[in-house]
Short mmCIF file of all heavy atoms in Angstrom, two decimals:
data_model
loop_
_atom_site.label_atom_id
_atom_site.label_comp_id
_atom_site.label_asym_id
_atom_site.label_seq_id
_atom_site.Cartn_x
_atom_site.Cartn_y
_atom_site.Cartn_z
N VAL A 31 8.57 8.61 2.75
CA VAL A 31 9.88 7.93 2.65
C VAL A 31 10.09 7.05 3.88
O VAL A 31 10.52 5.90 3.77
CB VAL A 31 11.02 8.95 2.50
CG1 VAL A 31 12.38 8.27 2.59
CG2 VAL A 31 10.90 9.71 1.18
N MET A 35 10.58 3.00 4.03
CA MET A 35 11.82 2.43 4.55
C MET A 35 11.54 1.43 5.66
O MET A 35 12.07 0.32 5.67
CB MET A 35 12.75 3.54 5.07
CG MET A 35 14.07 3.00 5.56
SD MET A 35 14.79 3.95 6.92
CE MET A 35 13.69 3.59 8.25
N ALA A 65 16.76 11.10 9.14
CA ALA A 65 16.90 11.47 7.73
C ALA A 65 16.20 12.80 7.49
O ALA A 65 15.15 13.07 8.07
CB ALA A 65 16.31 10.39 6.82
N THR A 66 16.81 13.59 6.63
CA THR A 66 16.25 14.89 6.25
C THR A 66 16.25 14.98 4.73
O THR A 66 17.30 14.79 4.10
CB THR A 66 17.08 16.05 6.83
OG1 THR A 66 17.12 15.91 8.25
CG2 THR A 66 16.48 17.40 6.46
N ILE A 67 15.09 15.26 4.16
CA ILE A 67 15.02 15.48 2.71
C ILE A 67 15.55 16.89 2.45
O ILE A 67 15.01 17.87 2.97
CB ILE A 67 13.59 15.33 2.18
CG1 ILE A 67 13.06 13.93 2.43
CG2 ILE A 67 13.54 15.67 0.68
CD1 ILE A 67 11.61 13.73 2.03
N THR A 68 16.61 16.99 1.66
CA THR A 68 17.23 18.28 1.37
C THR A 68 16.84 18.83 0.01
O THR A 68 16.91 20.03 -0.21
CB THR A 68 18.76 18.17 1.45
OG1 THR A 68 19.20 17.15 0.54
CG2 THR A 68 19.21 17.81 2.86
N GLU A 69 16.44 17.96 -0.90
CA GLU A 69 16.00 18.38 -2.24
C GLU A 69 14.87 17.46 -2.68
O GLU A 69 14.91 16.26 -2.43
CB GLU A 69 17.12 18.23 -3.27
CG GLU A 69 18.29 19.14 -3.11
CD GLU A 69 19.34 18.85 -4.17
OE1 GLU A 69 18.99 18.63 -5.34
OE2 GLU A 69 20.52 18.85 -3.80
N HIS A 89 13.32 14.12 -8.79
CA HIS A 89 14.51 13.71 -8.03
C HIS A 89 14.32 14.02 -6.55
O HIS A 89 13.51 14.88 -6.18
CB HIS A 89 15.78 14.36 -8.56
CG HIS A 89 15.81 15.85 -8.35
ND1 HIS A 89 15.27 16.73 -9.24
CD2 HIS A 89 16.30 16.60 -7.33
CE1 HIS A 89 15.44 17.97 -8.81
NE2 HIS A 89 16.04 17.92 -7.64
N VAL A 90 15.07 13.31 -5.73
CA VAL A 90 15.04 13.50 -4.28
C VAL A 90 16.45 13.28 -3.74
O VAL A 90 17.21 12.46 -4.28
CB VAL A 90 14.02 12.55 -3.59
CG1 VAL A 90 14.39 11.09 -3.79
CG2 VAL A 90 13.88 12.86 -2.11
N ALA A 91 16.83 14.03 -2.71
CA ALA A 91 18.11 13.85 -2.02
C ALA A 91 17.87 13.94 -0.52
O ALA A 91 17.08 14.78 -0.07
CB ALA A 91 19.11 14.90 -2.47
N LEU A 92 18.53 13.07 0.22
CA LEU A 92 18.38 13.03 1.68
C LEU A 92 19.74 12.92 2.35
O LEU A 92 20.66 12.32 1.81
CB LEU A 92 17.58 11.80 2.12
CG LEU A 92 16.17 11.62 1.66
CD1 LEU A 92 16.13 10.75 0.44
CD2 LEU A 92 15.37 11.00 2.76
N ASP A 93 19.82 13.47 3.56
CA ASP A 93 20.94 13.23 4.45
C ASP A 93 20.47 12.19 5.45
O ASP A 93 19.46 12.40 6.14
CB ASP A 93 21.36 14.50 5.19
CG ASP A 93 22.00 15.53 4.28
OD1 ASP A 93 22.57 15.13 3.24
OD2 ASP A 93 21.93 16.73 4.60
N VAL A 94 21.17 11.06 5.51
CA VAL A 94 20.80 9.98 6.41
C VAL A 94 21.90 9.82 7.45
O VAL A 94 23.09 9.80 7.11
CB VAL A 94 20.61 8.65 5.64
CG1 VAL A 94 20.28 7.51 6.58
CG2 VAL A 94 19.52 8.81 4.58
N GLU A 95 21.49 9.73 8.71
CA GLU A 95 22.43 9.60 9.82
C GLU A 95 22.06 8.36 10.62
O GLU A 95 20.91 8.18 11.00
CB GLU A 95 22.35 10.85 10.69
CG GLU A 95 23.32 10.90 11.83
CD GLU A 95 23.21 12.20 12.62
OE1 GLU A 95 22.36 13.06 12.30
OE2 GLU A 95 23.97 12.34 13.58
N LEU A 96 23.05 7.50 10.86
CA LEU A 96 22.85 6.30 11.68
C LEU A 96 23.54 6.55 13.02
O LEU A 96 24.71 6.93 13.07
CB LEU A 96 23.45 5.07 10.99
CG LEU A 96 22.91 4.78 9.58
CD1 LEU A 96 23.55 3.53 9.01
CD2 LEU A 96 21.40 4.67 9.57
N HIS A 106 27.51 6.51 11.26
CA HIS A 106 27.61 6.55 9.79
C HIS A 106 26.70 7.67 9.26
O HIS A 106 25.61 7.87 9.79
CB HIS A 106 27.18 5.21 9.19
CG HIS A 106 27.74 4.92 7.85
ND1 HIS A 106 29.05 4.62 7.64
CD2 HIS A 106 27.17 4.89 6.64
CE1 HIS A 106 29.26 4.40 6.35
NE2 HIS A 106 28.12 4.57 5.72
N GLN A 107 27.19 8.36 8.26
CA GLN A 107 26.38 9.38 7.58
C GLN A 107 26.49 9.14 6.08
O GLN A 107 27.55 8.76 5.58
CB GLN A 107 26.89 10.78 7.89
CG GLN A 107 26.58 11.24 9.29
CD GLN A 107 27.08 12.64 9.54
OE1 GLN A 107 28.26 12.92 9.37
NE2 GLN A 107 26.17 13.52 9.95
N GLU A 108 25.40 9.38 5.39
CA GLU A 108 25.39 9.16 3.94
C GLU A 108 24.40 10.12 3.29
O GLU A 108 23.35 10.41 3.85
CB GLU A 108 24.99 7.71 3.64
CG GLU A 108 25.18 7.29 2.23
CD GLU A 108 26.64 7.16 1.82
OE1 GLU A 108 27.46 6.72 2.64
OE2 GLU A 108 26.94 7.49 0.67
N LYS A 109 24.76 10.59 2.12
CA LYS A 109 23.81 11.35 1.30
C LYS A 109 23.26 10.36 0.29
O LYS A 109 24.01 9.68 -0.40
CB LYS A 109 24.52 12.49 0.58
CG LYS A 109 24.97 13.59 1.52
CD LYS A 109 25.48 14.78 0.74
CE LYS A 109 25.96 15.87 1.65
NZ LYS A 109 24.92 16.50 2.42
N ILE A 110 21.95 10.24 0.26
CA ILE A 110 21.29 9.29 -0.63
C ILE A 110 20.37 10.08 -1.56
O ILE A 110 19.64 10.97 -1.11
CB ILE A 110 20.50 8.23 0.16
CG1 ILE A 110 21.49 7.36 0.95
CG2 ILE A 110 19.63 7.39 -0.76
CD1 ILE A 110 20.87 6.29 1.79
N SER A 111 20.46 9.76 -2.83
CA SER A 111 19.61 10.45 -3.79
C SER A 111 19.10 9.47 -4.83
O SER A 111 19.66 8.40 -5.02
CB SER A 111 20.37 11.59 -4.47
OG SER A 111 21.46 11.09 -5.19
N SER A 112 18.01 9.87 -5.46
CA SER A 112 17.43 9.06 -6.51
C SER A 112 16.75 9.99 -7.50
O SER A 112 16.29 11.07 -7.14
CB SER A 112 16.42 8.08 -5.93
OG SER A 112 15.93 7.23 -6.93
N ALA A 113 16.70 9.57 -8.72
CA ALA A 113 16.03 10.35 -9.77
C ALA A 113 15.49 9.38 -10.81
O ALA A 113 16.00 8.28 -10.97
CB ALA A 113 17.02 11.32 -10.42
N ASP A 133 10.10 4.40 -3.55
CA ASP A 133 11.31 3.71 -4.03
C ASP A 133 12.54 4.16 -3.25
O ASP A 133 13.42 3.35 -2.94
CB ASP A 133 11.52 3.98 -5.53
CG ASP A 133 10.43 3.37 -6.39
OD1 ASP A 133 9.71 2.48 -5.91
OD2 ASP A 133 10.29 3.82 -7.55
N THR A 134 12.60 5.44 -2.90
CA THR A 134 13.74 5.95 -2.13
C THR A 134 13.76 5.35 -0.73
O THR A 134 14.83 5.03 -0.20
CB THR A 134 13.69 7.49 -2.07
OG1 THR A 134 13.70 7.99 -3.42
CG2 THR A 134 14.88 8.05 -1.32
N GLY A 135 12.61 5.15 -0.13
CA GLY A 135 12.56 4.48 1.17
C GLY A 135 13.13 3.08 1.10
O GLY A 135 13.87 2.64 2.00
N LYS A 136 12.85 2.38 0.02
CA LYS A 136 13.39 1.03 -0.18
C LYS A 136 14.91 1.08 -0.37
O LYS A 136 15.63 0.19 0.10
CB LYS A 136 12.72 0.35 -1.36
CG LYS A 136 11.25 0.07 -1.13
CD LYS A 136 10.56 -0.40 -2.39
CE LYS A 136 9.06 -0.46 -2.18
NZ LYS A 136 8.33 -0.66 -3.43
N ILE A 137 15.40 2.10 -1.05
CA ILE A 137 16.85 2.27 -1.24
C ILE A 137 17.53 2.49 0.11
O ILE A 137 18.58 1.89 0.39
CB ILE A 137 17.14 3.43 -2.20
CG1 ILE A 137 16.69 3.07 -3.62
CG2 ILE A 137 18.62 3.81 -2.18
CD1 ILE A 137 16.66 4.24 -4.59
N ILE A 138 16.93 3.30 0.96
CA ILE A 138 17.50 3.54 2.29
C ILE A 138 17.49 2.24 3.10
O ILE A 138 18.46 1.94 3.80
CB ILE A 138 16.73 4.67 3.02
CG1 ILE A 138 16.89 5.99 2.27
CG2 ILE A 138 17.23 4.81 4.46
CD1 ILE A 138 15.98 7.09 2.77
N ALA A 139 16.43 1.47 3.01
CA ALA A 139 16.37 0.18 3.72
C ALA A 139 17.49 -0.74 3.24
O ALA A 139 18.15 -1.40 4.06
CB ALA A 139 15.01 -0.48 3.51
N ASP A 140 17.71 -0.80 1.94
CA ASP A 140 18.79 -1.62 1.40
C ASP A 140 20.14 -1.15 1.92
O ASP A 140 21.02 -1.95 2.26
CB ASP A 140 18.80 -1.59 -0.13
CG ASP A 140 17.66 -2.37 -0.75
OD1 ASP A 140 17.04 -3.20 -0.05
OD2 ASP A 140 17.37 -2.13 -1.94
N TYR A 141 20.32 0.15 1.98
CA TYR A 141 21.57 0.74 2.48
C TYR A 141 21.80 0.35 3.94
O TYR A 141 22.88 -0.11 4.31
CB TYR A 141 21.52 2.26 2.30
CG TYR A 141 22.42 3.02 3.21
CD1 TYR A 141 23.79 3.01 3.03
CD2 TYR A 141 21.91 3.76 4.28
CE1 TYR A 141 24.62 3.72 3.88
CE2 TYR A 141 22.72 4.46 5.13
CZ TYR A 141 24.08 4.44 4.93
OH TYR A 141 24.91 5.13 5.77
N ILE A 142 20.77 0.50 4.78
CA ILE A 142 20.92 0.17 6.21
C ILE A 142 21.21 -1.32 6.38
O ILE A 142 22.11 -1.69 7.14
CB ILE A 142 19.65 0.59 6.99
CG1 ILE A 142 19.55 2.12 7.01
CG2 ILE A 142 19.69 0.03 8.40
CD1 ILE A 142 18.25 2.63 7.55
#
Side-chain angles (χ1 to χ4, degrees):
V31 172
M35 182 212 69
T66 303
I67 299 175
T68 57
E69 292 178 41
H89 67 273
V90 62
L92 299 95
D93 290 334
V94 178
E95 183 178 1
L96 304 181
H106 204 71
Q107 288 181 303
E108 190 70 37
K109 291 188 182 292
I110 294 179
S111 62
S112 184
D133 294 342
T134 302
K136 294 171 189 169
I137 291 168
I138 296 169
D140 288 343
Y141 157 72
I142 292 170

